[in-house]
Amino acid sequence: MGEAEAKGSSSKDKRWSLQGMTALVTGGSKGIGHAIVEELAGLGASVHTCSRTESELNNCLVEWKAKGFQVTGSVCDVSDQAQREKLINTVSSEFNGKLNILINNVGNNIRKPVSDYTAEDVSVLTSTNFESGYSLSVLAHPLLKASAAGSIVFISSVGSAMPANFGPIYGANKAAINQLGKYLAYDWAGDNIRVNTVAPALIKTPLAQRAFEGFEEGIKTTISRTPLGRAGEPEEVSAMVAFLCLPAASYVTGQVIFVDGGMTVNGLFFPAPTLKPI
């Protein structure tokens, strides 16, 4: 291999690597968050994650250490401001005041008709689904700016763009996240911080399984409206998230990207493949 070819190969490798970068992923002990931690760590990033459940977190940390991943963790309920501040202080100390990547992944839902929500329900959902991402982004801003190459990715939902049964407050929260990502991308571009949002549809996660428990017909209906004819895998979301954090995506910011098997295409009479269960 000639010198020029070797340099070109090295440059290309750096575009598709997170080696030497640092990342914070909220809610990384299961589902999409777990897949994101593994995706980023597999690409070379040093990752800190958090979970409300200490036993789940510790089990994951043992698993990741065995895989050779550089992952640490904290117990944290990101719906609480004091715990959010403590989390960012921990990350700042661990990563020497610099952070390349923030993944605001945490989300929760309470399934009810819209008129049945209490004020407490709305407060709990909003603090988890919207306020946590907003607050953590603001708290992490100095660390992201100090890295000179920051990237934030919010995890939203297809419910932010299409009404979904029993998810009105969740969907409204996620729609707000979509817009927040655009505003932060605009405001922080001068700090070399890119901000994007990934909005999955039905993904095989514990949250989705709980949401559809006893509602198998809902799963069939959802899949029947998905051109690819199946639910998605967490790794199919984490791959998109990782791409948005790579140097290769350095000109992508302010975008909402749906990872939904084509659901938001809103087509009619598309070829219907054999439906696969969730």
Side-chain angles (χ1 to χ4, degrees), residues 15-26:
R15 290 176 65 221
W16 298 97
S17 171
L18 297 176
Q19 197 69 42
M21 295 191 189
T22 57
L24 169 60
V25 180
T26 62

Side-chain angles (χ1 to χ4, degrees), residues 243-262:
F243 167 72
L244 292 171
C245 299
L246 286 165
S250 57
Y251 203 54
V252 182
T253 194
Q255 302 305 304
V256 179
I257 301 172
F258 290 90
V259 180
D260 64 356

Side-chain angles (χ1 to χ4, degrees), residues 7 13 18-19 32 79-80 97 100 106 113 122 126-127 143 147 151 188 192 206 216 224 250 256 260 273:
K7 286 183 179 179
D13 289 345
L18 297 176
Q19 197 69 42
I32 292 172
S79 68
D80 181 84
N100 295 104
V106 169
V122 175
T126 302
S127 65
L143 310 184
S147 75
S151 179
W188 294 349
N192 205 27
E216 286 72 19
S224 74
S250 57
V256 179
D260 64 356

Side-chain angles (χ1 to χ4, degrees), residues 25 40-41 47 57 64 81 90 130 154 188 195 232:
V25 180
L40 300 183
V47 182
L57 178 63
W64 289 325
Q81 178 65 11
T90 298
F130 178 79
F154 292 100
W188 294 349
V195 186

Side-chain angles (χ1 to χ4, degrees), residues 44-55:
S46 296
V47 182
H48 189 91
T49 191
C50 65
S51 171
R52 290 180 299 179
T53 309
E54 186 173 12
S55 58

